[in-house]
Amino acid sequence: MRRRSALLAVPALMLTAAGCGKDTKKSDSAASNSPTASGSPSTSASATPSATPSATPSTKIVSGPVPAVTKGTAFNAKPTVAKGTGTPSTDLAVKSLIPGKGAPVASGDIVQVNYLGQVWSTAKVFDTNFGKAPYAFQTGTQAVIPGFEQGVIGAKPHSRVIMTIPPALGYGSSGNSQAGIKGTDTLVFVIDVLNVYTGKDSAKGTVVPQTDTKLPKVGTNTDGKAPSLTVPKTKAPTKLVSNYVLEGDGKKVKASDTLVVQYKGVLWDTGKEFDSSYSRNQVTQFPLASVIPGWTQGLTGKKVGSRVMLVTPPALAYKDQANGPVPANATLVFSVDIIAVL
């Protein structure tokens, strides 16, 4: 099973070559206006929690009943979960097993988890990513089934929760035949919250002097607010510029990585902002291979934890195509905070 294509309804908050503009709505609809190369969300579902039901019922959360975890009770250990006994709740039931520390997950945050899912009545495991790569999704974007998302809201980093999800908050009355889930099945998930990335995150690197008066200047604040970005009244460079503003100490980014970033983009000619994750109060995740060439080339090799100033000439951005507030043949300037590699 291909975990990523099954579990994830691909976030549209990538930087598309099909569109790059400003949208202040806090939802996945913002994606069409950011710097990616494709943006159609996948709603495919197999054994994982990413099939999006047609409607999300209002949710009452109760504390049980939930089955017992009989083995693998430590954080980040693959759990073994008992079969459910009796009648499961018709409400979403969530119980904290390991409390964790830090700010709780809120809508719009990117959450990185390990999970195991099974059917209440049979204890049949239909999906898990324990022992595989962690899975990341953005809350508030309908990337996963409603019960999975709503059960994670409020959890803290390094916490473990167990939840039971009624059909109405899972795959609905149609179930998921590919995963062996009937429309009447209550689902059980154990979820370990590994990391949480929020709209308050910022690069934290060492300040690098910006001495070239012919290049834009980017602010060095690290409070999670948008940095200033001032474009000089000079002719735009014809080649890609990729300079550290804050140099982090994390690993170097590879072209194949999926990144969590904060970013802001302005037009060289006018200095006008056309897109910003800060305006949505959310970080953004995207595969670096899916963005405009100026981003792929300019961020590859840069360190996690850094703030990078990019000047992307038209040939490495949208060329002779206008995209919303971005005119044809525009040189673009970006400030990009590399928060994490997923």
Side-chain angles (χ1 to χ4, degrees), residues 22 199-203 217-230 245-246 262-266 273 275-282 307 334-337:
K22 187 175 180 180
K200 297 180 181 179
D201 286 341
S202 172
K217 298 294 184 292
V218 179
T220 58
N221 58 297
T222 59
D223 55 3
K225 296 180 181 179
S228 59
L229 207 172
T230 305
V245 177
L246 302 172
Q262 290 268 43
Y263 70 94
K264 173 180 176 178
V266 305
E273 180 181 307
D275 191 25
S276 172
S277 63
Y278 299 97
S279 67
R280 296 184 287 271
N281 195 31
Q282 297 175 349
R307 176 171 298 162
F334 294 95
S335 169
V336 185
D337 281 17

Side-chain angles (χ1 to χ4, degrees), residues 42-327:
S42 165
T43 55
S44 64
S46 59
T48 54
S50 84
T52 304
S54 57
T56 302
S58 58
T59 304
K60 175 184 177 182
I61 298 180
V62 297
S63 59
V66 295
V69 176
T70 58
K71 294 181 181 178
T73 57
F75 181 77
N76 215 20
K78 183 179 179 180
T80 299
V81 184
K83 184 172 70 172
T85 58
T87 302
S89 175
T90 56
D91 297 312
L92 176 64
V94 181
K95 181 180 180 181
S96 174
L97 300 179
I98 300 173
K101 295 180 180 179
V105 176
S107 183
D109 292 347
I110 292 175
V111 187
Q112 193 175 43
V113 301
N114 283 332
Y115 65 90
L116 178 140
Q118 66 184 49
V119 176
W120 167 281
S121 60
T122 64
K124 176 188 175 183
V125 175
F126 55 81
D127 191 41
T128 182
N129 74 329
F130 281 96
K132 305 174 186 178
Y135 169 66
F137 70 99
Q138 188 155 29
T139 58
T141 62
Q142 296 185 338
V144 293
I145 55 174
F148 191 93
E149 175 177 299
Q150 293 167 23
V152 167
I153 295 292
K156 296 180 179 181
H158 300 151
S159 68
R160 167 173 285 189
V161 297
I162 185 170
M163 64 183 72
T164 64
I165 301 177
L169 294 172
Y171 295 102
S173 60
S174 60
N176 187 328
S177 58
Q178 185 178 352
I181 298 170
K182 301 191 295 292
T184 56
D185 281 338
T186 292
L187 309 180
V188 180
F189 280 95
V190 175
I191 303 172
D192 284 2
V193 179
L194 306 177
N195 295 294
V196 180
Y197 303 106
T198 80
K200 297 180 181 179
D201 286 341
S202 172
K204 299 291 185 182
T206 302
V207 173
V208 176
Q210 303 173 70
T211 57
D212 192 335
T213 59
K214 295 181 180 180
L215 292 178
K217 298 294 184 292
V218 179
T220 58
N221 58 297
T222 59
D223 55 3
K225 296 180 181 179
S228 59
L229 207 172
T230 305
V231 181
K233 303 294 184 181
T234 58
K235 186 176 180 180
T238 57
K239 295 183 178 180
L240 176 68
V241 177
S242 175
N243 292 343
Y244 281 121
V245 177
L246 302 172
E247 184 172 358
D249 58 4
K251 66 179 183 180
K252 291 184 177 181
V253 171
K254 300 190 296 291
S256 58
D257 285 338
T258 293
L259 304 184
V260 176
V261 303
Q262 290 268 43
Y263 70 94
K264 173 180 176 178
V266 305
L267 303 174
W268 180 285
D269 286 346
T270 64
K272 183 178 179 180
E273 180 181 307
F274 59 86
D275 191 25
S276 172
S277 63
Y278 299 97
S279 67
R280 296 184 287 271
N281 195 31
Q282 297 175 349
V283 287
T284 297
Q285 65 170 329
F286 59 86
L288 191 54
S290 298
V291 298
I292 57 175
W295 277 61
T296 306
Q297 296 175 25
L299 297 181
T300 297
K302 291 296 190 280
K303 299 175 185 176
V304 174
S306 299
R307 176 171 298 162
V308 180
M309 187 274 292
L310 297 176
V311 179
T312 58
L316 296 177
Y318 303 107
K319 302 181 179 179
D320 59 355
Q321 300 296 312
N323 289 284
V326 178

